[in-house]
Structures are given as C-alpha cells and as structure tokens.
Amino acid sequence: MLNALEVFTTVVVGLMVGVEFSVAFIMNRILDALPEDSGQLGHAHGGRMLGALMPFWYIGSLILSAIWAVAGWHHHGAGLVVTAAGLLILSVVMSILLLVPINNRNKTWTPENRPADWKQQLHRWERFHYVRVAVIIAAFTLLVAALA
C-alpha cells in the first residue's frame, strides 16, 4: 500500500509541477503576445480557471506528502519526503500571501476596469510564480529521489 501512495503522490505532484511550469514558461508568453486586450482577458480567465483548481491541487499534494512521510517514517527516504512536504508548505504559504491576492484582483479585470498598473501587477505575480515553481520542482525532485 505504501508503494501505491508513493507513486500516486509523486504523479500528482509531478502533474502540478508540469501545469505550473507551462503557465510560467509557455502560457504567459502566449498571452503576452496576443494583440490589444486579448492577453489581459486571457490572464483574467486563466486566473479564474486555475484559481479555482490549484488550491485543491496544492493542498492535496501537501496532504499526500504528509501521509507518505508519516506512513513511511521508518523507511528509506523519509527525510526527503519530510523536506518535500516542507517545501510544499512553503509553496502554499507563498501562494496565500503573495500570489492569491494579485490573482484575486486580476481575475476580475476587464479592459474597462483594470488599474493603470495592471501590467506591473501581473509581472510581480510572474516573479513570485517563478520562485514558487522552483520550490515545487525541488519538492518533486525530492519525492522522486525518495522512491529510489
């Protein structure tokens, strides 16, 4: 049963990393290249869609990692899993304190109501997101190493 939990947790976290990596390095570039107001509208729509899904994915990944850490406490790689869970806690805290407030504003913006500094706010979100992506990549890497 522990092996199934380890694989399932690693896959869930790996998929989350893939989604967040593609947002950072692919989707934002595509949206920023769109003409006129299309990019801003795309960012707002993405904020609504992923803003509804990602809290469950982040918290779920953290819970799965914590269960793995407890269930596998006396097994090889437990320290790696505990460290990965700590990084996932950091990613959740970063999200709540830094990214979600910007996203909550962004997802309501339209060309008619967006603030004058909307581009600066999106760039700030992107910088925080790059750091968060690095944190969850590190957590995923530790989980993969714990499987070995």
Side-chain angles (χ1 to χ4, degrees):
M1 188 65 147
L2 181 60
N3 287 341
L5 174 65
E6 293 168 346
V7 170
F8 183 72
T9 301
T10 304
V11 169
V12 168
V13 173
L15 289 171
M16 182 177 70
V17 166
V19 168
E20 295 291 38
F21 185 90
S22 73
V23 166
F25 297 102
I26 298 167
M27 293 308 301
N28 284 341
R29 302 293 179 275
I30 291 169
L31 293 173
D32 290 343
L34 292 174
E36 300 173 12
D37 295 323
S38 300
Q40 186 266 307
L41 292 169
H43 279 289
H45 184 63
R48 286 188 299 275
M49 285 182 59
L50 291 173
L53 172 66
M54 296 316 285
F56 298 104
W57 211 337
Y58 274 84
I59 298 296
S61 296
L62 173 57
I63 291 169
L64 287 169
S65 298
I67 293 169
W68 176 0
V70 170
W73 186 252
H74 297 292
H75 292 85
H76 170 77
L80 297 172
V81 178
V82 169
T83 305
L87 289 172
L88 291 172
I89 290 170
L90 175 62
S91 73
V92 169
V93 170
M94 288 177 62
S95 297
I96 292 168
L97 296 179
L98 303 173
L99 291 119
V100 169
I102 298 169
N103 189 60
N104 283 344
R105 290 189 301 272
N106 167 55
K107 67 186 185 180
T108 65
W109 294 339
T110 65
E112 294 78 30
N113 72 358
R114 66 187 179 211
D117 69 339
W118 69 273
K119 285 185 181 180
Q120 291 81 5
Q121 290 189 52
L122 282 182
H123 289 301
R124 185 170 187 235
W125 183 92
E126 287 175 1
R127 287 191 305 274
F128 291 141
H129 184 64
Y130 291 142
V131 175
R132 181 175 62 179
V133 169
V135 168
I136 63 173
I137 287 172
F140 175 65
T141 303
L142 292 169
L143 293 176
V144 169
L147 289 173

